[in-house]
Amino acid sequence: MIKKIFSLARYSFLTGVGILLGFVRELVVSSHFGLSKELDVYIAMGGFFLFLGPQVGNALEMVFISKTAQLDTAAKLTQRLMQGLRVMLVVDVAVVGILLSTASYLVAWIFPGFSEEQRELGVVFVAHLCLAIVFANLAGLIRASLNIMRRFSPGLIAGSIVSVFSIAAVVVYGDRYGVQALLYGFICGHAAVLVLNTVMFLRFADFSYRSNKEQRSRLPSFWGPVFLVLLLEAFFQARSMTERGFASTLETGTVSAFFYASTLITLPVSLVVMPLSTVLYPRLAEAFAEDRRRGYSMLKRYGGGLFVFAVIIALIISVASEEIVKVVFLRGRFTPDDASRTAHILSIVSLNLPLLSVTRLIRYSLYSMSNYTAPCVAQVIGWLMMASAGMVLLPKYGIDGLAYSSVLACGSVGLALFASLHLSFLKYDGRQRVVETA
């Protein structure tokens, strides 16, 4: 028990360092660029990267862990990873080709409020981000293998590495290249993460499976579930891009203001929820595979505590939003007016925090039961809620309407996920009681 507590504390510390460096990065960026139109473009184009890079990598990671956690040898794990990487490289080539050929149309369609200058800059950013996309999703697949081996540290320090490169690029080259300096540092950071994960995996890899043809034919494909998880990520990112598309029609800097508000919301999630869920996921996968009652009990134990913690933090953030934003961001080109706008958004979107804290564990639990459809449907519901609420509330209430649309979308996703998990458990529990009675 003491060993587990020590491990969780160590992972929380690594995550905390990453959060601290992430905040330093945002402070450097905000003080250099404020709520500028160039930063709006960078953040908006980051949506393409988030989906095609980390979210593709996360989709592979989630399914990889749920389908591979019970493999009994390093050779089988290495074999599965090599299969995944080969397919991923082919997919990367296709994705990058499609993105490069359609970037100008996508930017104009999704962000109608951007000027022609902003759209042209957006196309340039997308072209550069293609490199980071490839680095991120390959690193995600390798990170899954490391997690199964209980080597969590490389994944937890990845954000720190990207932040350090980004900070250095802005400090050294920000005045010369503007926001593009941030972009270059971001790309180099993801390249460094991929190199680190590869080196760490090679320390534990076992390529002996290559000499055993029978063993190579035993592992089932996991690409069907990956496709469903990618649909989930696609609809999640569609919700985010819809929000940013709406924000682009408001005054300059609104996209950046929503981003900074979201950054403050994700602080407690990243500091507590991410390390806990990262450590728990392999255990959840094993528990649900053995007995769903045991897995459900584990989820309730940890999820209930997280929810209470998040409610308390959300109340504090909502009440003290103005003070928090001023202390964190008010310096350099980030003006008092920028702080006031960001704080107002923060006071509303802080309502997302309780559900954000538990939906990650609920989603992992559904994956552990090989239920990849329910999370996908939940994200579709969230996207539709974002789009419909935004169209109704934005014209009437402006920024407030968009912020409340975000809250409604997050709430609908969380409730749909919880309902799906609870119904799945009730069906399973009912069947088990019939078997036990017989």
Side-chain angles (χ1 to χ4, degrees):
M1 182 65 180
I2 296 178
K3 183 178 180 180
K4 291 180 180 179
I5 294 175
F6 176 77
S7 297
L8 184 58
R10 178 161 59 93
Y11 297 141
S12 295
F13 172 76
L14 292 177
T15 304
V17 171
I19 294 300
L20 177 61
L21 287 171
F23 259 108
V24 173
R25 178 191 64 203
E26 301 310 336
L27 291 176
V28 170
V29 171
S30 63
S31 64
H32 272 75
F33 308 116
L35 298 186
S36 63
K37 62 181 182 180
E38 292 81 12
L39 188 60
D40 276 358
V41 175
Y42 175 82
I43 292 171
M45 296 311 106
F48 293 107
F49 165 77
L50 286 175
F51 171 56
L52 296 172
Q55 289 181 347
V56 168
N58 289 343
L60 291 166
E61 179 182 356
M62 296 305 99
V63 179
F64 192 92
I65 290 176
S66 66
K67 294 293 185 182
T68 313
Q70 292 183 308
L71 292 182
D72 55 357
T73 66
K76 290 182 180 179
L77 178 59
T78 304
Q79 175 193 352
R80 174 57 63 82
L81 177 61
M82 292 301 104
Q83 291 173 343
L85 289 176
R86 284 194 295 269
V87 176
M88 195 67 255
L89 285 172
V90 175
V91 172
D92 280 339
V93 172
V95 166
V96 168
I98 293 172
L99 185 57
L100 289 176
S101 62
T102 61
S104 59
Y105 304 103
L106 290 173
V107 172
W109 175 54
I110 298 174
F111 305 102
F114 278 173
S115 65
E116 186 63 31
E117 179 186 359
Q118 286 178 303
R119 293 175 186 175
E120 291 176 358
L121 184 61
V123 173
V124 173
F125 283 1
V126 169
H128 284 80
L129 284 171
C130 285
L131 280 173
I133 286 170
V134 175
F135 298 151
N137 56 39
L138 293 178
L141 195 55
I142 299 173
R143 182 173 62 246
S145 300
L146 291 171
N147 287 350
I148 292 173
M149 294 175 177
R150 303 298 194 269
R151 307 290 175 177
F152 302 107
S153 297
L156 294 175
I157 66 173
S160 298
I161 294 172
V162 175
S163 293
V164 168
F165 275 86
S166 300
I167 292 167
V170 172
V171 170
V172 177
Y173 298 108
D175 293 336
R176 182 184 302 179
Y177 297 110
V179 176
Q180 291 196 42
L182 174 61
L183 179 67
Y184 300 147
F186 186 76
I187 294 169
C188 292
H190 279 282
V193 169
L194 176 59
V195 171
L196 172 65
N197 284 359
T198 302
V199 171
M200 290 297 296
F201 179 78
L202 290 176
R203 293 177 58 190
F204 308 102
D206 183 353
F207 293 93
S208 62
Y209 71 89
R210 292 174 175 174
S211 61
N212 190 331
K213 294 183 178 180
E214 181 182 355
Q215 185 184 55
R216 282 186 292 180
S217 65
R218 288 178 180 174
L219 298 182
S221 172
F222 62 101
W223 292 104
V226 165
F227 176 74
L228 289 175
V229 176
L230 284 178
L231 280 180
L232 178 153
E233 300 291 357
F235 284 112
F236 171 82
Q237 195 56 41
R239 174 159 60 98
S240 176
M241 296 292 270
T242 300
E243 177 187 283
R244 292 176 182 180
F246 282 137
S248 74
T249 64
L250 301 172
E251 61 181 309
T252 298
T254 301
V255 175
S256 301
F258 268 90
F259 170 76
Y260 286 127
S262 298
T263 298
L264 292 171
I265 288 297
T266 57
L267 170 62
V269 175
S270 300
L271 188 59
V272 177
V273 178
M274 288 186 66
L276 179 62
S277 59
T278 298
V279 174
L280 280 179
Y281 186 27
R283 293 173 55 197
L284 274 174
E286 293 172 357
F288 275 102
E290 293 174 5
D291 183 353
R292 292 189 182 182
R293 291 174 178 173
R294 180 185 160 206
Y296 196 72
S297 176
M298 183 184 298
L299 172 66
K300 288 196 297 183
R301 184 166 65 252
Y302 289 100
L306 282 176
F307 186 81
V308 173
F309 163 79
V311 168
I312 296 172
I313 299 300
L315 290 174
I316 295 172
I317 292 176
S318 180
V319 171
S321 59
E322 188 85 24
E323 291 75 15
I324 292 172
V325 173
K326 286 181 178 179
V327 169
V328 174
F329 292 119
L330 187 57
R331 58 182 53 81
R333 296 181 182 176
F334 197 92
T335 66
D337 180 63
D338 294 341
S340 179
R341 270 200 290 166
T342 303
H344 184 68
I345 295 169
L346 176 63
S347 67
I348 298 173
V349 298
S350 62
L351 298 173
N352 287 335
L353 186 55
L355 284 175
L356 283 175
S357 297
V358 295
T359 52
R360 188 180 179 98
L361 281 179
I362 294 174
R363 183 158 46 92
Y364 286 0
S365 298
L366 289 166
Y367 291 164
S368 298
M369 295 186 292
S370 297
N371 185 345
Y372 304 98
T373 303
C376 184
V377 172
Q379 289 298 343
V380 172
I381 293 172
W383 174 52
L384 292 175
M385 179 62 75
M386 181 75 241
S388 58
M391 286 188 289
V392 173
L393 299 178
L394 183 65
K396 189 173 182 179
Y397 300 105
I399 287 179
D400 284 10
L402 185 55
Y404 281 115
S405 298
S406 175
V407 172
L408 290 172
C410 182
S412 63
V413 171
L415 292 175
L417 284 172
F418 178 77
S420 298
L421 179 68
H422 191 61
L423 288 174
S424 296
F425 175 74
L426 289 178
K427 290 179 181 179
Y428 172 82
D429 190 55
R431 290 195 298 267
Q432 290 299 109
R433 289 180 185 279
V434 170
V435 171
E436 291 169 359
T437 302

